[in-house]
């Protein structure tokens, strides 16, 4: 009988717990199956900050699910725009509209000037006209982009957007202090550098793989068609990473100006804006 070394068992347990934290935070999926009996019995705080290495992976899986839904509906001859709307509805059910809620709360806070009042509004469960407008615009951009992408690009394209959007939100706790002494932002402080580096490395490598698959698997091909793969991959990958980076910069700049830091809602806003801009960038490369 082969015995597992204590180190390997400990590493495996840490990975399981980290995945449970990431999946439990970013989706509404049950996570008890990932935990050992000992982990389920523990009552201490979960290592949320340590788990951030897997957040881009969870985001990519959510995007792949959404793309699969849209692709399946289009395969059943549902028109592209209704298919996109239904796929986004399924995604919202899977995630609990977690990031969209953050976007609405952050935009609602723009209705006042005082920092403390902004933070109060962001904790209010009610939604105002600014928040409704932000949600409508984000759904419009995403649904329009999904409807525009060719069917072979849906799964990979939405997985790429989900991956990069969750990688983008991690830059805010890297660059900004928490705006409150409690909440999600405080639980990520100090941000583990190792987990952050792993998350960004995973995001870049998987983004390159996904973009390679998109370039090779869609028609018409990404121009210039007669160039080697690298010379088509580099500008395409640069475009979507730039779109994600721009969204992170815009949200971070706004959070610094209005809140002097970030909150969990700011992270959700960054993910949603990045999702929109990456999908919009993809329509410049792949379209029906």
């Amino acid at each position: 009988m082969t015995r597992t070394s204590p180190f390997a068992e400990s590493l495996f347990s840490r990975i399981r717990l980290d995945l449970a934290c990431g999946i439990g935070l970013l989706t509404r999926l049950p996570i008890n199956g990932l935990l050992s009996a000992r982990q389920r019995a523990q009552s201490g705080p979960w290592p949320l900050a340590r788990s951030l290495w897997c957040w881009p992976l969870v985001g990519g899986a959510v995007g792949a699910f959404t793309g699969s839904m849209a692709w399946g509906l289009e395969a059943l001859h549902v028109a592209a725009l209704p298919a996109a709307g239904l796929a986004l509805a399924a995604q919202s059910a899977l995630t609990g509209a977690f990031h969209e809620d953050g976007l609405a709360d952050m935009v609602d806070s723009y209705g006042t000037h005082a920092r403390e009042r902004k933070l109060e509004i962001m904790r209010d469960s009610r939604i105002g006209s600014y928040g409704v407008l932000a949600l409508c615009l984000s759904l419009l951009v995403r649904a329009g982009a999904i409807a525009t992408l060719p069917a072979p690009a849906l799964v990979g394209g939405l997985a790429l957007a989900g991956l990069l959007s969750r990688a983008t939100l991690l830059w805010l706790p890297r660059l900004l202090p928490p705006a409150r002494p409690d909440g999600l932002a405080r639980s990520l402080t100090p941000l583990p550098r190792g987990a952050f580096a792993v998350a960004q490395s995973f995001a870049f490598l998987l983004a390159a793989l996904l973009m390679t698959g998109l370039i090779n698997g869609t028609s018409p091909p990404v121009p210039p068609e007669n160039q080697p793969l690298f010379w088509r991959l580099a500008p395409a990958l640069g475009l979507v990473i730039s779109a994600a980076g721009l969204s992170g910069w815009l949200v971070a700049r706004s959070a610094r100006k209005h809140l002097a830091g970030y909150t969990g809602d700011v992270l959700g806003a960054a993910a949603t804006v990045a999702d929109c801009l990456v999908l919009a960038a993809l329509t410049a490369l792949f379209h029906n």
Side-chain angles (χ1 to χ4, degrees), residues 192-272:
R193 293 187 177 184
F196 175 81
V198 171
Q200 299 303 323
S201 299
F202 275 159
F204 179 79
L205 292 174
L206 290 175
L209 289 174
L210 287 167
M211 184 59 78
T212 300
L214 288 169
I215 289 172
N216 288 331
T218 56
S219 181
V222 174
E225 296 88 342
N226 59 343
Q227 292 289 339
L229 174 62
F230 174 80
W231 298 111
R232 288 185 287 155
L233 173 63
L237 187 60
L239 177 63
V240 294
I241 290 177
S242 296
L246 174 62
S247 65
W249 179 79
L250 289 172
V251 175
R253 185 175 184 275
S254 177
R256 185 185 296 276
K257 177 181 178 181
H258 293 278
L259 304 172
Y262 77 99
T263 67
D265 287 331
V266 173
L267 299 184
T272 304

Side-chain angles (χ1 to χ4, degrees), residues 22 34 57 138 146 192 216 223 245 271:
L34 284 171
L57 305 182
S138 72
I146 294 170
N216 288 331

Side-chain angles (χ1 to χ4, degrees), residues 28-288:
R28 292 298 176 263
L29 292 174
I31 57 173
N32 280 342
L34 284 171
L35 301 173
S36 65
R38 182 179 177 182
Q39 288 170 336
R40 286 195 293 268
Q42 290 177 349
S43 58
W46 285 33
L48 195 62
R50 194 186 73 194
S51 74
L52 61 84
W53 65 266
C54 71
W55 293 9
L57 305 182
V58 176
V62 169
F65 165 79
T66 309
S68 298
M69 287 290 299
W71 177 82
L73 289 167
E74 289 189 19
L76 294 173
H77 304 291
V78 176
L81 189 56
L86 291 170
L88 289 172
Q91 175 181 284
S92 297
L94 176 64
T95 63
F98 184 56
H99 297 313
E100 289 82 356
D101 177 69
L103 173 68
D105 287 342
M106 183 177 181
V107 175
D108 265 339
S109 74
Y110 292 160
T112 188
H113 296 289
R115 175 181 177 273
E116 293 304 321
R117 178 58 182 150
K118 287 177 183 290
L119 292 172
E120 288 178 12
I121 290 173
M122 292 170 71
R123 276 203 162 147
D124 193 334
S125 61
R126 294 169 295 181
I127 185 171
S129 57
Y130 286 4
V132 170
L133 180 60
L135 286 177
C136 290
L137 290 174
S138 72
L139 288 171
L140 176 64
V141 170
R142 286 181 288 173
I146 294 170
T148 302
L149 291 174
L154 286 172
V155 177
L158 269 74
L160 179 61
L163 178 81
L164 290 178
S165 63
R166 275 60 170 194
T168 298
L169 72 83
L170 295 177
W171 280 96
L172 275 74
R174 185 78 176 87
L175 301 173
L176 299 176
R180 290 194 184 101
D182 57 359
L184 176 62
R186 176 56 63 182
S187 68
L188 296 179
T189 304
L191 194 74
R193 293 187 177 184
F196 175 81
V198 171
Q200 299 303 323
S201 299
F202 275 159
F204 179 79
L205 292 174
L206 290 175
L209 289 174
L210 287 167
M211 184 59 78
T212 300
L214 288 169
I215 289 172
N216 288 331
T218 56
S219 181
V222 174
E225 296 88 342
N226 59 343
Q227 292 289 339
L229 174 62
F230 174 80
W231 298 111
R232 288 185 287 155
L233 173 63
L237 187 60
L239 177 63
V240 294
I241 290 177
S242 296
L246 174 62
S247 65
W249 179 79
L250 289 172
V251 175
R253 185 175 184 275
S254 177
R256 185 185 296 276
K257 177 181 178 181
H258 293 278
L259 304 172
Y262 77 99
T263 67
D265 287 331
V266 173
L267 299 184
T272 304
V273 174
D275 208 32
C276 290
L277 293 190
V278 171
L279 285 173
L282 286 172
T283 63
L285 300 171
F286 313 99
H287 50 79
N288 286 314

